[in-house]
Amino acid sequence: MLEGILLGLQTVLTINNLFLVFAGCATGTLIGMLPGLGPISAIALMIPVTYGFDPASGMILLAGVYYGAIFGGSTSSILINAPGVAGTVATAFDGYPLARSGHAGKALATAAYSSFAGGTLATLFLVLAAPILADLSLGFRSADYFILMLLGLSLVSAFSPPGEYLKALLMILLGLMLSTVGTDLSAGVQRFTFGRMDLIDGISFLLLAMATFALSEAMMMVLKQSKAQPLDLSSIDIRMTRDEIRSIIPVISRSSILGFLIGVLPGAGATIASFLAYGAERSLATREEKAMFGKGSLKGLAAPEAANNAACTGSFVPLLTLGIPGSGTTAVLLGALISYGIQPGPRLIVDEPEIFWSVIVSMYFGNVILLILNLPLIPYIARLLTIPRQFLIPMIMFFSLMGVYLVSFNTFDLQMMVVIAAIATMLRLLGFPMAPLLLGFILGGMLEDNLRRAVTLSDGELSFLWDRPTHAGTADLDHTRAPKPTCAFFLDQACQGTRELIRCA
Amino acid sequence: MFELHWSPALQLLLAMSVYGIVFEYLGFIVATLLFLLAGFAILGERRPGLMLVAALPLTLGFWLLMEFLGIYLGPGELFLSWVGADYS
């Protein structure tokens, strides 16, 4: 492990890569701060930039963009109550009241310290946990992967907010269906191409990510034109008293551990982690402190901030060790890895140790850079929030369209993006989550590959699904977990139906 | 709840689609400039000077960056036929 860390240090501590960590954090913060744009859009917008780099540098940049975007999202949550990401919604609960009452600087500082502590602690856990898990998963076979991915996908719907189980499940299925477009790799048959050359390679994940996130998020901004809250940046004082710092230290450490553990779970990400941490701190607080929650409590701000950063880092564990993303954001990162020509999975730590370790080590530097760079500069960076929307939105659209065009040089892709963005916007308006779609799409190809390979290995028998002990366990989990969302949904519906019947009678 | 603004949203979708159609004909610089200006106008901006100040540097800067990185953006069929080049 020490060797690995040294290797990572060696890769990261070059002028080039340090600059990329810095650039990633800075652009991530800028894009994440724009209300409505989250880390998925930020990463998708930056992927075309990384195509010229070697894979390790590309991943370092994208990881920087990821936690930069989370940090930027909390800034817009605090200052204008417009969370760019679901993961920072809980930040606005206490951050916005603090900013309203003239303590914007203190709120931003608390968010920065908590994010830093959460991210750094979680990086330490990552260093310890990732190699162990990678070691364990070296014994996995195609069949195990197939089951694991199935488990991951069903967990995504199981962890979605109540009443959205079926919607999340449907979006996963849609993603899986979209992933079958193009040439079938093992048989060479063309599927759903409608005889068009443009679809022979399938739909690129970058196109889908840009259309379903960056473009449709921009469309949502147009559709829901809310009056922007006035932004007062005159009195930003980031100093905190010693007592205040002392009071949030235990909160941060508890929330970081919680956040990391939740981040590791497939399907649960920064959003769930931040809400859980907020809830946990609320129930642990004394009565006087509890009254402050929601009205500008520093603890209520520190908890979700530490937790969502720790969860972001935690979500790298399944990505780097199993090659299975647990959230929409890590799915996009996985897509980037694949497009660099890297085979993600447990072999990553053996075959490409410099990628594995440099990403982890760069996270530590990234957190330091975010803290020392953003804390003093926040009042200036926040001026980005004052750019009028009418200028911002066409520019976002231009960057998304060009990001895709410059990879394929095919204007058919631009038309496809417009159509997908329109459909995605409608689905968003109807309350369908987009991240499961992306996850289903990216896992779809791998799911099929592994199933095919497993079936070939077992001579067409399907008994591998329950033969091997490792996945007998996971499959069991799968069986108990997967039907749950659907059952819960139908129960919900049944209850509602009964209630309505009673009312009618 | 929210009042949805359908008209600008649909116009923007249309603008993106038209951008995709005319992109190779007009070339990157002209098409992008027109798309950005149209986008600003659709979202209610009415100051032509400010619109140009926002659109021109972005378009030219992006184009120069692509030239610098060695990524070739075709000059557009319109321009080529204007200077009399055979683009087939």
Side-chain angles (χ1 to χ4, degrees):
Chain A
M1 192 159 67
L2 205 59
E3 256 172 82
I5 296 172
L6 284 177
L7 179 68
L9 275 174
Q10 212 176 354
T11 319
V12 175
L13 284 178
T14 55
I15 306 268
N16 212 342
N17 285 343
L18 274 181
F19 173 73
L20 288 178
V21 177
F22 167 75
C25 289
T27 40
T29 315
L30 290 179
I31 302 177
M33 196 180 289
L34 303 173
L37 288 191
I40 297 188
S41 304
I43 294 173
L45 284 166
M46 291 303 286
I47 285 176
V49 178
T50 63
Y51 278 145
F53 302 161
D54 67 296
S57 307
M59 281 311 281
I60 289 175
L61 180 80
L62 293 182
V65 172
Y66 185 11
Y67 37 79
I70 294 281
F71 184 82
S74 33
T75 309
S76 57
S77 293
I78 291 170
L79 288 179
I80 59 171
N81 198 14
V85 213
T88 59
V89 169
T91 308
F93 291 167
D94 276 301
Y96 187 60
L98 266 174
R100 287 272 85 171
S101 60
H103 297 294
K106 196 175 277 177
L108 288 171
T110 312
Y113 291 135
S114 322
S115 307
F116 169 73
T120 313
L121 278 174
T123 309
L124 282 179
F125 297 143
L126 178 63
V127 169
L128 296 174
I132 300 172
L133 196 59
D135 230 26
L136 212 84
S137 56
L138 270 175
F140 283 14
R141 294 196 202 156
S142 308
D144 305 295
Y145 275 108
F146 173 71
I147 299 283
L148 259 180
M149 287 177 202
L150 221 55
L151 173 72
L153 286 180
S154 54
L155 281 179
V156 169
S157 58
F159 278 124
S160 54
E164 281 190 6
Y165 303 131
L166 200 61
K167 281 181 174 165
L169 210 60
L170 280 172
M171 293 314 281
I172 291 176
L173 285 180
L174 186 63
L176 289 175
M177 281 157 71
L178 285 176
S179 75
T180 58
V181 175
T183 311
D184 173 0
L185 283 181
S186 34
V189 185
Q190 284 178 31
R191 298 183 295 195
F192 311 114
T193 55
F194 305 103
R196 287 204 72 117
M197 285 292 282
D198 308 291
L199 284 172
I200 279 186
D201 280 340
I203 303 170
S204 87
F205 92 95
L206 186 63
L207 189 156
L208 197 70
M210 293 272 208
T212 52
F213 279 86
L215 277 186
S216 82
E217 277 167 355
M219 295 303 295
M220 290 304 281
M221 281 198 247
V222 178
L223 281 171
K224 296 183 176 176
Q225 291 181 4
S226 50
K227 281 265 170 282
Q229 272 100 345
L231 183 61
D232 180 22
L233 292 172
S234 52
S235 64
I236 287 198
D237 182 9
I238 56 168
R239 274 172 302 183
M240 294 174 70
T241 64
R242 186 164 292 175
D243 279 345
E244 284 166 344
I245 293 177
R246 200 173 291 147
S247 74
I248 59 170
I249 284 177
V251 178
I252 290 176
S253 26
R254 280 194 294 262
S255 305
S256 304
I257 297 171
L258 182 73
F260 178 79
L261 292 176
I262 290 171
V264 173
L265 289 179
T271 315
I272 295 175
S274 60
F275 278 102
L276 271 182
Y278 187 81
E281 279 314 318
R282 226 187 101 137
S283 51
L284 281 175
T286 59
R287 186 170 293 222
E288 303 89 78
E289 284 173 339
K290 204 174 274 180
M292 280 298 288
F293 271 72
K295 295 190 186 110
S297 156
L298 282 182
K299 284 187 169 181
L301 176 60
E305 269 305 288
N308 71 22
N309 272 273
C312 288
T313 312
S315 65
F316 274 84
V317 173
L319 175 72
L320 290 174
T321 56
L322 301 172
I324 298 177
S327 63
T329 320
T330 41
V332 177
L333 285 173
L334 181 79
L337 257 184
I338 296 174
S339 60
Y340 298 151
I342 303 293
Q343 181 62 48
R347 299 285 306 168
L348 187 74
I349 192 172
V350 185
D351 295 340
E352 313 271 355
E354 73 276 4
I355 294 181
F356 184 91
W357 287 107
S358 63
V359 170
I360 294 179
V361 174
S362 79
M363 282 180 181
Y364 181 74
F365 285 96
N367 276 307
V368 177
I369 287 176
L370 269 183
L371 186 71
I372 57 175
L373 179 86
N374 285 345
L375 206 49
L377 290 182
I378 267 295
Y380 308 100
I381 301 177
R383 275 175 216 283
L384 191 71
L385 289 172
T386 59
I387 295 183
R389 291 165 356 102
Q390 66 263 35
F391 289 118
L392 204 58
I393 292 172
M395 288 181 187
I396 294 171
M397 292 177 162
F398 161 70
F399 281 118
S400 336
L401 291 171
M402 277 304 108
V404 171
Y405 178 78
L406 289 174
V407 176
S408 69
F409 291 98
N410 184 353
T411 46
F412 174 82
D413 280 359
L414 298 184
Q415 303 298 338
M416 191 152 66
M417 276 179 85
V418 175
V419 173
I420 295 178
I423 297 172
T425 315
M426 289 313 294
L427 287 172
R428 263 174 200 267
L429 284 175
L430 295 172
F432 284 89
M434 282 297 137
L437 170 85
L438 213 51
L439 206 62
F441 178 79
I442 289 171
L443 279 183
M446 296 165 63
L447 202 66
E448 196 190 339
D449 270 2
N450 282 301
L451 179 65
R452 281 272 177 83
R453 208 172 303 140
V455 172
T456 315
L457 281 174
S458 64
D459 266 344
E461 289 285 324
L462 282 174
S463 56
F464 65 83
L465 286 172
W466 50 85
D467 261 4
R468 273 166 57 82
T470 20
H471 55 248
T474 33
D476 222 33
L477 246 167
D478 222 32
H479 288 201
T480 47
R481 219 53 178 105
K484 194 209 134 201
T486 22
C487 288
F489 174 80
F490 286 120
L491 266 177
D492 266 357
Q493 294 292 304
C495 289
Q496 253 172 33
T498 333
R499 239 173 275 144
E500 250 162 51
L501 270 178
I502 295 169
R503 208 181 309 143
C504 287
Chain B
M1 206 179 82
F2 286 102
E3 197 180 324
L4 297 178
H5 299 251
W6 289 105
S7 154
L10 290 176
Q11 287 175 41
L12 276 176
L13 279 178
L14 196 69
M16 285 195 282
S17 183
V18 171
Y19 180 54
I21 293 169
V22 303
F23 185 81
E24 283 181 344
Y25 182 67
L26 292 179
F28 172 81
I29 295 184
V30 179
T32 305
L33 215 54
L34 289 178
F35 169 73
L36 286 175
L37 293 177
F40 299 157
I42 289 168
L43 290 169
E45 180 58 55
R46 290 290 174 270
R47 290 163 290 184
L50 205 59
M51 280 158 73
L52 271 180
V53 168
L56 258 181
L58 180 68
T59 314
L60 293 179
F62 195 84
W63 184 73
L64 281 176
L65 183 72
M66 290 302 121
E67 289 289 295
F68 173 71
L69 291 175
I71 296 170
Y72 178 72
L73 282 168
E77 289 163 22
L78 185 71
F79 178 76
L80 286 175
S81 63
W82 181 49
V83 296
D86 184 8
Y87 55 82
S88 54

